[in-house]
Amino acid sequence: MKIALDPFMHRHLSLEALPRKVKELGYDWIELSPRGDFLEWFKAPRVFPERIKSFKKALSDADVGIASLLPMYRWASNDEAERQAAVKHWKRAIEICVELGVDTMNSEFGRGPHPDKGSCYCCHTGSMIEACEDAWWRSMEELVPVFEREGIMLHVEPHPEDWCETLQPALDIIRTVNSKNVKFLYCAPHTFYFGDDTKAMLREARDVLAHVHVGDTFNHKASSGLRYILNPPGTNARVHQHLNIGQGEVPWDEFFGTLAEVGFDGIMTACVFAWEDKADQSCTFMRTEMQRYIDKYWGAK
């Protein structure tokens, strides 16, 4: 198992300083999420040979590896020009992955309404979801052969606001891709969009589960739907958090215990974004807590 850190809360650091900081926080692996000087959100990568060379040296000097690269591109856009640009950026990101000697990438199903393009986007209407799904399949037809040729794994997660934001149909969609290189990422902060039975959901995902994100969140459906009060009533806003373990309502013993039960041995990433004012403390706490649960459940096996 690879225990990784998503260092988004430390994105102010240079690429060269990042591996040393990750090592100081207790991690041997990075899940590198979008940042302006590398894989920028939705735009072409800001990557050139000298940058790759200096980053690889910093990783080597710190004895830290990249468990996964996380690009975010509009591969599910119903705007064909936007989708084609996203596929182009994906192909360049895959080249960068190969240049870095990394074997895994992960991302989201994508193309919710953010960022807006200046015109009305009819969020979560049936026709829009269908158009985005069709666009995603067109992108996968182009990209899956590239992943397979280059030997790169792709781990995909449903995200609140995406065209696919629930456990099902996400699992069946990934199975339908029918590639050994495409697997499922279970994001614990999205638990309450997936369902209410953590054990059952992880068991259902076991055949395609390769990656988990660890962070806590509150159940937005609790208290008769009044855990959060949103105005105007009926808004389509999607609310969740990425908190430290224990600050929300994810059932952690069920989560880690079931992962051990199904034999999970993939990438486990600390994925907390809520505490930039105390990022070091948050990241070290998460590393300690994750290890405590690993020792409790995997150690027992």
Side-chain angles (χ1 to χ4, degrees), residues 30-199:
I30 297 173
E31 179 177 317
L32 193 63
S33 53
R35 45 182 290 148
D37 59 354
F38 206 71
L39 300 183
E40 172 67 296
W41 290 86
F42 311 122
K43 301 172 185 176
R46 295 357 185 186
V47 182
F48 43 89
E50 292 81 5
R51 180 159 286 169
I52 289 179
K53 182 179 179 180
S54 63
F55 189 32
K56 288 179 73 172
K57 182 179 186 303
L59 289 162
S60 177
D61 289 347
D63 193 24
V64 168
I66 299 177
S68 182
L69 291 182
L70 167 51
M72 284 292 295
Y73 302 126
R74 294 303 190 186
W75 57 351
S77 177
N78 63 317
D79 180 310
E80 183 59 14
E82 188 177 55
R83 189 196 69 81
Q84 289 182 15
V87 169
K88 179 180 178 181
H89 300 335
W90 260 110
K91 289 178 178 178
R92 175 58 184 136
I94 293 170
E95 292 176 354
I96 293 164
C97 196
V98 172
E99 291 174 43
L100 286 170
V102 178
D103 63 6
T104 301
M105 305 178 82
N106 61 286
S107 194
E108 302 166 2
F109 279 101
R111 212 18 168 160
H114 176 77
D116 291 330
K117 295 167 60 180
S119 60
C120 179
Y121 185 91
C122 300
C123 177
H124 295 99
T125 65
S127 59
M128 184 58 69
I129 290 172
E130 291 175 4
C132 289
E133 178 170 351
D134 287 344
W136 187 80
W137 281 113
R138 290 198 298 276
S139 296
M140 294 301 282
E141 288 173 1
E142 293 186 59
L143 292 173
V144 169
V146 183
F147 284 111
E148 292 178 341
R149 184 183 70 238
E150 299 295 346
I152 303 295
M153 299 298 299
L154 172 65
H155 301 161
V156 187
E157 65 170 299
H159 190 284
E161 190 189 46
D162 286 358
W163 67 266
C164 180
E165 58 180 359
T166 53
L167 190 78
Q168 285 291 4
L171 293 178
D172 282 351
I173 288 169
I174 287 170
R175 293 180 183 119
T176 302
V177 174
N178 194 31
S179 170
K180 63 180 177 57
N181 289 71
V182 182
K183 299 294 183 181
F184 180 63
L185 189 159
Y186 185 106
C187 185
H190 306 163
T191 288
F192 301 107
Y193 287 91
F194 294 167
D196 298 310
D197 189 334
T198 297
K199 290 182 178 180

